[in-house]
Amino acid sequence: MIIHEQEITWAQHTLILTNKKAIYWPAQKTLILSDLHLGKAAHFRRNGIPIPSQIHQRDLDVLEKLLLHYTVDKVIVVGDLIHAHQNGEVLDFKNFLQQFSEIEFILIKGNHDRIADRKILDFGVKAVCNTFHLDGIEFVHEPEKCADYQISGHIHPGVTVRLPTNKHFRLPSYVVSENMIILPAFSQFTGLDTKQSFEKSVNYAILDTGIMAIK
């Protein structure tokens, strides 16, 4: 797996956007991501929709490679770690965390995180909260306008790129403005919102081969 990076200066901090849909914050040795939706594929299969069982494992494989690639003391998940209810795929995450017990995982609860906090903590997550603050940055699940500097998720942002041939394709993206960053969904099993736009922001579209800024 090749990790491509785009370094930005934001809120007077150096952040590294990766093409694996997570941000690395070197000064804090922190990885930031959103919307894993663990257990979503199993939830769909239980309701009669044939979804491949390998999807969640591929997401965990990417997360593992990021944790091994960077020096990580802390992982901040800005919501929707778990899609609905506990199932076998969610329990795989508990086993995953046991491999990285030295890393502090913090969950900011999202609208899909309906499992009791005590169960999430039992997985090995160190803290579950509605908001989290670190070095002047507020972490929440849904974007809000009240904070000075805020990182969130929830929207699953994406952009539509048109080719000269008039063909177009949709890509996940980071949304970056002066005081706000919205993360793409980490899970590959999510939709993309390409309709919402944010004033004075830059979309960093994610490709296998790199990251492309689209203003």
Side-chain angles (χ1 to χ4, degrees):
M1 183 182 84
I2 299 175
I3 299 172
H4 295 280
E5 301 177 339
Q6 174 70 55
E7 182 178 298
I8 64 171
T9 300
W10 181 81
Q12 301 180 352
H13 299 292
T14 297
L15 301 178
I16 297 173
L17 312 183
T18 76
N19 69 326
K20 301 305 173 186
K21 299 185 284 189
I23 294 175
Y24 181 60
W25 186 356
Q28 296 291 340
K29 297 180 180 178
T30 295
L31 193 71
I32 308 162
L33 55 146
S34 183
D35 296 276
L36 278 82
H37 288 276
L38 293 168
K40 183 177 181 179
H43 176 74
F44 275 52
R45 287 195 301 274
R46 189 170 61 244
N47 287 277
I49 302 173
I51 302 296
S53 60
Q54 299 85 0
I55 287 177
H56 83 291
Q57 190 56 56
R58 287 200 290 267
D59 289 338
L60 292 180
D61 287 346
V62 173
L63 180 54
E64 178 180 11
K65 288 179 172 64
L66 286 167
L67 296 177
L68 295 175
H69 180 78
Y70 294 108
T71 301
V72 180
D73 290 342
K74 188 192 310 291
V75 175
I76 300 174
V77 181
V78 290
D80 287 356
L81 171 66
I82 298 166
H83 181 71
H85 306 289
Q86 184 169 297
N87 54 41
E89 293 181 0
V90 174
L91 293 177
D92 284 345
F93 182 64
K94 180 177 181 179
N95 297 330
F96 176 88
L97 289 183
Q98 290 176 354
Q99 303 174 49
F100 297 98
S101 58
E102 74 282 4
I103 296 176
E104 181 182 12
F105 278 75
I106 296 172
L107 171 64
I108 290 84
K109 291 188 72 172
N111 53 298
H112 279 278
D113 294 310
R114 303 184 189 114
I115 294 178
D117 291 1
R118 58 179 176 79
K119 290 187 177 181
I120 298 175
L121 294 171
D122 183 59
F123 295 156
V125 173
K126 296 297 190 295
V128 179
C129 46
N130 292 320
T131 61
F132 181 74
H133 294 82
L134 181 62
D135 203 359
I137 297 176
E138 180 185 50
F139 297 86
V140 297
H141 180 54
E142 298 188 32
E144 301 171 353
K145 293 184 178 180
C146 58
D148 290 333
Y149 296 104
Q150 183 183 90
I151 294 179
S152 64
H154 182 61
I155 291 176
H156 307 179
V159 292
T160 300
V161 178
R162 295 190 180 276
L163 301 176
T165 59
N166 209 31
K167 290 184 178 180
H168 65 276
F169 52 96
R170 301 163 75 235
L171 297 169
S173 71
Y174 300 90
V175 177
V176 180
S177 67
E178 182 179 358
N179 65 339
M180 179 180 68
I181 293 177
I182 304 174
L183 286 157
F186 189 82
S187 173
Q188 60 184 306
F189 187 33
T190 58
L192 288 178
D193 186 341
T194 58
K195 301 298 184 183
Q196 289 198 59
S197 60
F198 299 86
E199 293 183 2
K200 299 180 181 179
S201 65
V202 177
N203 283 276
Y204 287 89
I206 296 167
L207 303 94
D208 289 339
T209 55
I211 299 172
M212 178 173 59
I214 300 175
K215 296 184 179 180

